[in-house]
Amino acid sequence: MNGTAIRVVTRRADEFGQGGELRQQKQVRGPERVRVASGLAAPPPGTSSYVVAQRMLWRLAYDSVMKKSGTDVHTLASGPAPQYPIESVDNALKILLLLGERSELRLTEVAEYLGVASSTAHRLLAMLQYRGFIRQDSRSKVYRPGTALTAVAFAILQRFDVRETVRPSLESLNRELSETVHLGILDGTVVRFIDAIESPRAVRVASRLGQSMPANCTSTGKALLAQLSTDDLRRLFPNEELDGLTSNSIRSRTDLEIELDGVRRRGYATSNEESEEGVSSVSVAFPAGQSPVSLAMNVSVPVSRMNRSDIRRIGETLMTKVSEAATLLH
């Protein structure tokens, strides 16, 4: 995640008179994952917020169906390998996973991703298209998610979708602190961000909506992991060595357990450039058992605007907001 792009947006001088069309949008590299913009943030080129939300929904739906327990979603290591694996089924599911990462697929990309011949990839895509899980653009011939996949995603997510209930609290938090705020869930050893509102400030942390990150590298993940018992935590992380994203990431289970003890004492978790350089955050988890999923709110701030007193202030504000929002989840 290091060196993530900073977005620079230049708007028309008459933006308020002409609807604020973007005149120029370019990418530059930098150590901080903050977005520099005037006015409201623009979505990445060619990517609407609807597409971002769809990707998140597809990923959540698939992972829920597979009952994944914290491993890399591409490996599907959610348990022992089946005694009689069916390669064609496995490859079809891998294609659906790939659609969770990309807005469209080409035949050659699928064949290369699966390590199969183009003819084999074509047959798999044809079957998924027949069942409505993908559709093919008649002009470009690229494959995109189909209505069946979207329907499955929404049907599953509706069973535990708490975003509508929590959204007013997230908006209130954003208005009060003027910083980027997120709603995240724990899914095995990763955190998935299911809602977000960006800071109105010119320099701000960009939304992580739809993204997944190792739980041990984020304040949201640590807030949620702190609710687990030591035995449950060790079942989730059977190895001492942990994956990290930056030089500040927690990379051992022992260090993670020490960190989680501090989270339990304080009531909130923190991250100081542990998921991305230039980004710090504070998070508070909703009380366990009040939602079908493990849920937490976080506030993400550029490190230049975060000191110890800010951490305490944000932590206390978050605890109040989460406590108020939690009463709505009963």
Side-chain angles (χ1 to χ4, degrees):
M1 302 300 295
N2 296 343
T4 314
I6 297 175
R7 178 159 295 113
V8 179
V9 180
T10 304
R11 292 183 180 272
R12 294 170 57 109
D14 58 340
E15 61 177 336
F16 294 106
Q18 298 294 332
E21 298 97 344
L22 292 179
R23 182 183 65 192
Q24 177 183 350
Q25 183 163 298
K26 62 182 179 179
Q27 299 288 330
V28 297
R29 308 303 297 178
E32 297 186 10
R33 189 178 190 275
V34 294
R35 185 172 295 170
V36 182
S38 61
L40 296 177
T47 304
S48 67
S49 58
Y50 173 73
V51 170
V52 172
Q54 271 196 323
R55 292 179 188 174
M56 174 195 66
L57 292 170
W58 301 324
R59 191 60 168 272
L60 282 171
Y62 179 81
D63 294 346
S64 297
V65 171
M66 296 302 295
K67 297 182 179 178
K68 185 175 65 64
S69 60
T71 53
D72 186 342
V73 72
H74 289 289
T75 67
L76 286 183
S78 59
Q83 186 175 2
Y84 303 107
I86 303 174
E87 186 177 9
S88 60
V89 174
D90 188 34
N91 282 337
L93 293 174
K94 287 178 180 178
I95 293 173
L96 297 183
L97 284 175
L98 195 58
L99 279 172
E101 298 292 336
R102 307 180 189 179
S103 59
E104 59 186 36
L105 301 175
R106 295 186 180 277
L107 175 61
T108 53
E109 293 174 336
V110 173
E112 181 180 356
Y113 176 73
L114 298 177
V116 300
S118 295
S119 58
T120 301
H122 184 268
R123 288 195 296 271
L124 291 167
L125 290 166
M127 182 54 67
L128 290 173
Q129 185 176 3
Y130 170 67
R131 290 298 180 184
F133 283 89
I134 62 173
R135 56 186 174 87
Q136 186 178 32
D137 187 276
S138 58
R139 291 187 176 181
S140 65
K141 302 302 182 183
V142 298
Y143 294 90
R144 298 189 177 95
T147 56
L149 188 58
T150 304
V152 170
F154 276 96
I156 293 174
L157 193 59
Q158 283 176 352
R159 299 173 191 171
F160 57 85
D161 189 4
V162 296
R163 290 174 301 164
E164 183 176 353
T165 302
V166 176
R167 181 75 180 189
S169 298
L170 207 63
E171 292 172 344
S172 175
L173 186 65
N174 174 258
R175 286 193 302 269
E176 184 171 340
L177 298 179
S178 295
E179 298 292 358
T180 299
V181 296
H182 293 92
L183 187 66
I185 63 172
L186 183 65
D187 186 9
T189 60
V190 301
V191 164
R192 303 195 188 282
F193 296 99
I194 63 172
D195 205 355
I197 306 173
E198 287 194 355
S199 166
R201 302 186 185 193
V203 179
R204 55 187 177 266
V205 176
S207 164
R208 290 176 173 174
L209 176 62
Q211 293 188 24
S212 302
M213 291 183 170
N216 56 293
C217 298
T218 68
S219 62
T220 301
K222 288 187 283 186
L224 293 167
L225 292 174
Q227 295 183 324
L228 301 178
S229 66
T230 300
D231 288 343
D232 287 340
L233 183 72
R234 291 180 178 178
R235 277 192 288 270
L236 203 57
F237 296 97
N239 301 319
E240 173 65 16
E241 185 176 348
L242 307 178
D243 292 333
L245 296 175
T246 73
S247 59
N248 285 1
S249 298
I250 294 176
R251 294 178 181 267
S252 77
R253 190 178 65 187
T254 299
D255 289 342
L256 179 61
E257 290 178 355
I258 294 172
E259 176 77 5
L260 297 183
D261 284 340
V263 173
R264 296 181 188 107
R265 289 194 303 270
R266 292 190 302 268
Y268 58 86
T270 63
S271 173
N272 181 27
E273 299 187 273
E274 295 169 45
S275 61
E276 298 180 34
E277 293 180 6
V279 174
S280 59
S281 63
V282 183
S283 182
V284 171
F286 282 69
Q290 291 198 353
S291 171
V293 291
S294 297
L295 195 68
M297 277 187 188
N298 107 352
V299 177
S300 300
V301 184
V303 291
S304 59
R305 289 205 296 266
M306 183 80 90
N307 56 40
R308 290 185 177 180
S309 62
D310 292 324
I311 291 173
R312 289 193 296 271
R313 174 177 58 85
I314 292 173
E316 292 170 357
T317 302
L318 266 170
M319 286 190 286
T320 299
K321 294 294 182 183
V322 167
S323 177
E324 293 172 352
T327 62
L328 304 176
L329 296 177
H330 288 299

